[in-house]
Amino acid sequence: MSGPIKAEQFADWAYYPELLARPVPRYTSYPTAAEFVEESFELRQRISLGALTGPVSIYLHIPYCEEICWYCGCNTGAANKRHRLTAYLEALHREIALVADMLDPSVHIEHIAFGGGSPNAVPPTEFVRLIDALVLAFRFVRPALSVELDPRTLTRDWLTAIRGIGVTRVSLGVQTLNPAVQEAIGRVQPIEMIETAVAGLRAAGVGSINFDLMYGLPHQDDAVLAETLAQSARMGPDRIALFGYAHVPHMIPRQRRIDGSDLPDQRGRFRMAARGARQLMDAGYQAVGFDHFALPDDPLARAARSGTLRRNFQGFTEDPASTLIGLGASAISEMPGLMVQNEKNPGRYRMLIGADQLAGRKGLETTAEDARRAALIEALLCKGAAKIDADLLNAVRSRLEPFAAVGLVSLERGWLRLEAGAAPYARAIAAVFDAYRSEERSFSSAI
């Protein structure tokens, strides 16, 4: 019954607003970060790091941008005070050394990801220094190296660094190519800037380029989104992530600069997501999960077809490692039995690391039941089907019934399958198995 999500799951989407009414997590992990408790996790962090074996992935967070976009929900600040950025990088170097000293020699790194913020808010020479520090501190086995980049600050020197280091994958923050929408979200970047960035990255040897795009933005309608998707596809990115904008100004003050009355309603968002998915598939992209698309030869598309697709804090991935070490302010580590998040405030993070303490200040010790549900949720979101134990199925059957009644899911011999048209409801269906969703939290719209 298991297998990759099929393209037909994006065809002829039916709109059931009552099934999308409740905001749900994106399930880049289970349990989600909303369940983390605030306390020092340093001792548990040290014990867990010392017990690791085998392949591990690393994520490094750079919480700075040259310009702050109004829509952004990331933990980031302006990089206009160089002494703060310099002090942060010194702390990151120290954390790399601290963590590496705790690892067993059998641990090796296969994937490295830089995110933010914008890693290219850092001078390219400092980025090279970080790579050198990682190479000296950890044991690598042909690591894949990915970096999130802001096209507005992608300089020639940065492209030279990317070529020299051997970056294999880049994600460009594009969001929209419509000038009016760009003005409304505080991210002005003409299409020529994106085209120049793509050409420069290809010349630098980057084999896989991702575009982050958004629907549900102010002044954005079906035609505006369709134009952005067509322009993007013509530039030939290997991957496209099409996310729904989450407008939560009560949680993210910078979003108050966006007028909520200029945003499409839920029906409009649903229509954009459906038509956008169909347009990208008609352009030759394969649907991966519920919001990613990749050219058929890209490793992400191959993972979706082979049933090896996974989900972690960066979204859908072909990375098989089940352990992730997060470095930097607010970075999250996921290790057997433990999830831990570093101190979010860069200043306090620097103080902790400067005192040779690990910076984990939020987290959760996970249980066997958490692991069971996590595997089930990941299988549903990545493969479109999951085997469910009888006790769990009996516990959630009534919550599954509304989805089954309209043909979005089917049950057979203990297997739950997402049927055609279920993609926009995938997170809502996964939430049925979330033991922590007994009370209302602040999450993104289900579509």
Side-chain angles (χ1 to χ4, degrees):
M1 288 288 290
S2 63
I5 291 178
K6 301 293 193 298
E8 57 265 24
Q9 289 180 263
F10 288 86
D12 303 321
W13 286 2
Y15 181 52
Y16 304 107
E18 69 280 5
L19 299 181
L20 297 170
R22 186 183 187 189
V24 292
R26 293 190 179 275
Y27 291 116
T28 52
S29 72
Y30 181 84
T32 72
E35 276 62 70
F36 290 0
V37 297
E38 294 196 29
E39 59 186 61
S40 175
F41 276 78
E42 185 186 14
L43 178 58
R44 282 163 287 187
Q45 209 173 353
R46 287 179 179 271
I47 293 171
S48 293
L49 286 168
L52 294 180
T53 58
V56 169
S57 294
I58 290 179
Y59 170 78
L60 296 95
H61 188 72
I62 308 295
Y64 295 98
C65 293
E66 290 290 343
E67 302 176 56
I68 304 299
C69 305
W70 305 339
Y71 67 88
C72 181
C74 297
N75 178 45
T76 186
N80 55 358
K81 296 184 178 179
R82 286 295 166 183
H83 66 282
R84 289 184 181 177
L85 183 55
T86 298
Y88 179 79
L89 293 174
E90 289 175 355
L92 193 51
H93 276 272
R94 182 59 191 148
E95 187 183 19
I96 289 170
L98 282 172
V99 169
D101 284 347
M102 297 176 192
L103 297 181
D104 184 270
S106 67
V107 172
H108 60 273
I109 312 301
E110 295 184 351
H111 285 74
I112 309 168
F114 282 82
S118 297
N120 58 319
V122 172
T125 52
E126 292 299 327
F127 182 70
V128 173
R129 285 189 64 234
L130 279 174
I131 297 296
D132 288 343
L134 291 169
V135 170
L136 290 172
F138 298 102
R139 186 163 73 91
F140 291 101
V141 178
R142 301 179 301 279
L145 176 57
S146 65
V147 186
E148 297 176 6
L149 296 174
D150 184 338
R152 298 170 296 177
T153 52
L154 183 55
T155 63
R156 187 179 300 275
D157 287 345
W158 251 93
L159 290 171
T160 299
I162 285 169
R163 172 181 282 280
I165 291 167
V167 172
T168 55
R169 186 171 302 123
V170 159
S171 183
L172 288 175
V174 177
Q175 318 313 342
T176 178
L177 293 170
N178 181 273
V181 181
Q182 290 179 351
E183 288 278 0
I185 64 173
R187 191 184 184 95
V188 176
Q189 45 187 23
I191 188 172
E192 294 80 11
M193 182 181 289
I194 310 301
E195 291 171 338
T196 299
V198 170
L201 291 168
R202 294 297 189 197
V206 177
S208 182
I209 297 175
N210 172 74
F211 278 14
D212 277 346
L213 301 177
M214 299 186 87
Y215 65 86
L217 294 170
H219 307 301
Q220 187 185 50
D221 58 20
D222 294 11
V224 167
L225 177 61
E227 182 181 33
T228 284
L229 294 178
Q231 292 170 324
S232 296
R234 283 197 292 271
M235 285 184 259
D238 305 270
R239 304 178 181 184
I240 292 177
L242 183 58
F243 300 117
Y245 167 58
H247 189 60
V248 285
H250 59 288
M251 296 177 61
I252 305 170
R254 64 178 69 118
Q255 290 187 351
R256 294 171 188 161
R257 302 184 69 175
I258 295 176
D259 187 346
S261 66
D262 293 331
L263 301 174
D265 60 15
Q266 189 188 64
R267 182 180 290 274
R269 288 171 61 93
F270 185 93
R271 189 174 59 248
M272 285 184 190
R275 293 182 178 179
R278 174 49 59 193
Q279 182 176 345
L280 289 174
M281 287 190 292
D282 288 345
Y285 288 87
Q286 175 185 322
V288 176
F290 52 82
D291 57 10
H292 282 49
F293 303 85
L295 294 177
D297 289 337
D298 188 86
L300 193 67
R302 294 201 299 268
R305 292 196 300 273
S306 68
T308 58
L309 185 69
R310 297 197 63 248
R311 193 152 172 82
N312 65 16
F313 290 107
Q314 282 76 62
F316 290 105
T317 180
E318 72 277 17
D319 179 4
S322 58
T323 298
L324 176 70
I325 296 176
L327 302 170
S330 80
I332 299 176
S333 297
E334 184 170 8
M335 297 174 281
L338 181 70
M339 293 182 185
V340 59
Q341 183 173 27
N342 279 355
E343 166 62 50
K344 286 187 174 183
N345 181 276
R348 290 195 290 269
Y349 161 81
R350 295 197 310 267
M351 291 176 60
L352 290 167
I353 297 299
D356 286 342
Q357 298 181 47
L358 293 178
R361 287 303 179 268
K362 290 181 71 175
L364 185 72
E365 293 187 75
T366 56
T367 66
E369 179 63 12
D370 289 331
R372 177 172 75 144
R373 291 175 184 254
L376 193 161
I377 289 171
E378 185 178 53
L380 279 177
L381 297 182
C382 294
K383 301 178 182 180
K387 187 77 166 67
I388 306 176
D389 295 335
D391 66 316
L392 188 52
L393 180 57
N394 290 334
V396 304
R397 192 180 293 274
S398 63
R399 296 177 63 191
L400 278 176
E401 179 53 37
F403 300 98
V406 293
L408 294 175
V409 299
S410 63
L411 272 166
E412 182 183 352
R413 298 176 186 174
W415 281 90
L416 177 67
R417 178 176 291 280
L418 304 186
E419 296 296 339
Y425 303 91
R427 288 193 291 137
I429 294 167
V432 168
F433 299 95
D434 188 336
Y436 298 90
R437 296 281 74 77
S438 58
E439 59 184 68
E440 203 65 37
R441 306 283 184 94
S442 294
F443 297 108
S444 61
S445 169
I447 188 66

